[in-house]
Amino acid sequence: MCAGRVVIVTGAGRGLGRAHALAFAAEGARVVVNDLGVELDGAGVSAGPAQQVVDEIVARGGRAVAHGGDIATSEGAASLVATTVDAFGRLDTLVNNAGFLRDRMLVNLDEDDWDAVMRVHLKGHFLPLKYAAAHWRAEAGAGRKVPARVVNTSSGAGLLGSLGQGNYSAAKAGIVGLTLVAAAEMGRYGVQVNAIAPAARTRMTEQTFAEAMAAPGEGEFDAMAPENVSPLVVWLGSAASAGVTGRVFEAEGGRITVMEGWRPGPTADNGARWTPAEAGETAAKLLARAEPAQPVYGVRGVGRG
C-alpha cells in the first residue's frame, strides 16, 4: 500500500509509534524513526529506542533512518524534515505521535507539568506539521504536488476529558482543533490531515490500567495491542485514503469509529436579547431535547485512551 512512500513517525521508539513504523515499513514505505528516548515523564534522552526500531526494519528488508531531535523545537522539527529529504529525496506522510504523561488532579497540577505536556503533545504536533507543510507548499509551487498525508494523535481524553489528566486532555483536544485547521489550509497543496484517538497498551497506559489492559491468554485476541491501531494509520497515511481529510477516528482492538464532533443541536432564537430568566428557561428546554453528554473518562468506571 505504501510502496515508494517516505514516512516520518514521531515518538516511534516504543509503543504505538514503533508499531506504526514497523507497519509502514511492512507496506513498503521508507521510514524516518524519530524518538528522543525519554522516560515516561519526559526525563532523560537516549538514541537507543529509535535505532532499535531502525534495526528491526532493516533486518526485515526495509529501509529506515533514525532521528533523535526534539520535535517540540523549531530546530528539531526543521531537522526532521531536512533529514527525511536528505535521506530519501522526498516526504509523503507525517505521523505525529510523540508524547508523555504528567498526571495530576487539577488542584495538584504544577505549572511545569502543564507546560511540559502542552509542549510535547501540542507544540510537538504543530512544529513538524509546520515544517512539513512548508516543504509540501514548495513542492506544489514547483509543480510537484504529491498525495501527502498527515496523521495526528489525539485521544479519547481529548474528546471527552479524563480525570487526573487536565493537561493531557487539553493538549489532545487542541490537537483535534489543529487537525481541522490544517486540513482546511493544506488541502490546496494536496495534503490530507486526519487524527486518531487510539486506545492500546503502552507505557502511558499500562500502569494506570494494568488490569483492563493485561495481555490475553495464549491464542486469544490481544485487543489492547498497539499493533491493532496501526493498520488504520497506514491507510490514512497512504494514497489509498484519497478524499478523507479533517476527520477523527477512534481505534481500539478490532473496532474503528468515525467520531462526530461538535455540531449544532437544539436551538432557539428570540430575535432580541434574552433576560437572564428567559435565557435560563430556554436553555433548560433545549437541554431536555439534546443528546445527553458523554461521561468524562474515569467517571463511573469509564475507560480512557
Side-chain angles (χ1 to χ4, degrees):
M1 182 175 286
C2 293
R5 292 183 74 81
V6 175
V7 178
I8 291 171
V9 184
T10 70
R14 303 180 178 95
L16 282 167
R18 173 183 174 274
H20 300 340
L22 294 174
F24 273 108
E27 291 293 329
R30 292 163 286 175
V31 184
V32 177
V33 178
N34 164 265
D35 203 287
L36 273 176
V38 299
E39 298 302 321
L40 183 59
D41 64 355
V45 175
S46 170
Q51 189 58 51
Q52 287 171 11
V53 175
V54 169
D55 292 344
E56 285 187 73
I57 291 172
V58 172
R60 299 178 188 185
R63 295 179 63 190
V65 297
H67 179 270
D70 183 355
I71 46 81
T73 67
S74 289
E75 180 182 7
S79 169
L80 177 60
V81 173
T83 295
T84 302
V85 176
D86 289 346
F88 298 120
R90 59 187 293 146
L91 170 60
D92 299 285
T93 299
L94 168 65
V95 179
N96 283 315
N97 169 77
F100 61 73
L101 294 177
R102 299 241 183 123
D103 290 356
R104 301 282 191 281
M105 300 299 282
L106 286 173
V107 294
N108 297 320
L109 185 62
D110 292 335
E111 186 176 354
D112 287 347
D113 295 328
W114 175 273
D115 290 343
V117 168
M118 284 293 176
R119 177 184 181 276
V120 71
H121 285 280
L122 194 49
K123 193 176 180 183
H125 271 62
F126 159 63
L127 287 173
L129 182 57
K130 169 186 170 68
Y131 285 99
H135 168 75
W136 287 321
R137 182 178 63 180
E139 289 291 287
R144 297 189 296 268
K145 183 181 290 187
V146 298
R149 304 285 186 263
V150 177
V151 184
N152 291 329
T153 305
S154 182
S155 166
L159 304 177
L160 298 175
S162 180
L163 291 181
Q165 292 190 308
N167 49 359
Y168 178 75
S169 296
K172 289 302 192 182
I175 288 168
V176 172
L178 178 64
T179 298
L180 300 180
V181 172
E185 291 185 354
M186 295 169 63
R188 71 188 72 179
Y189 310 127
V191 184
Q192 294 179 183
V193 186
N194 294 284
I196 60 165
R201 186 191 313 104
T202 69
R203 289 194 307 165
M204 289 173 55
T205 59
E206 63 184 356
Q207 293 181 358
T208 307
F209 301 100
E211 182 176 348
M213 294 191 172
E218 185 176 353
E220 297 179 0
F221 174 53
D222 186 355
M224 299 313 299
E227 290 78 8
N228 298 331
V229 177
S230 300
L232 175 62
V233 175
V234 170
W235 180 76
L236 288 171
S238 75
S241 61
V244 180
T245 194
R247 292 288 195 165
V248 179
F249 298 84
E250 273 197 337
E252 175 184 351
R255 178 176 59 84
I256 296 172
T257 303
V258 177
M259 303 303 290
E260 296 182 338
W262 294 105
R263 61 185 66 232
T267 186
D269 186 350
N270 195 33
R273 184 180 302 142
W274 304 92
T275 67
E278 291 171 337
E281 181 181 357
T282 302
K285 291 178 180 178
L286 295 176
L287 287 168
R289 294 162 44 200
E291 292 291 327
Q294 294 294 302
V296 171
Y297 286 178
V299 175
R300 295 194 299 276
V302 177
R304 65 183 177 187

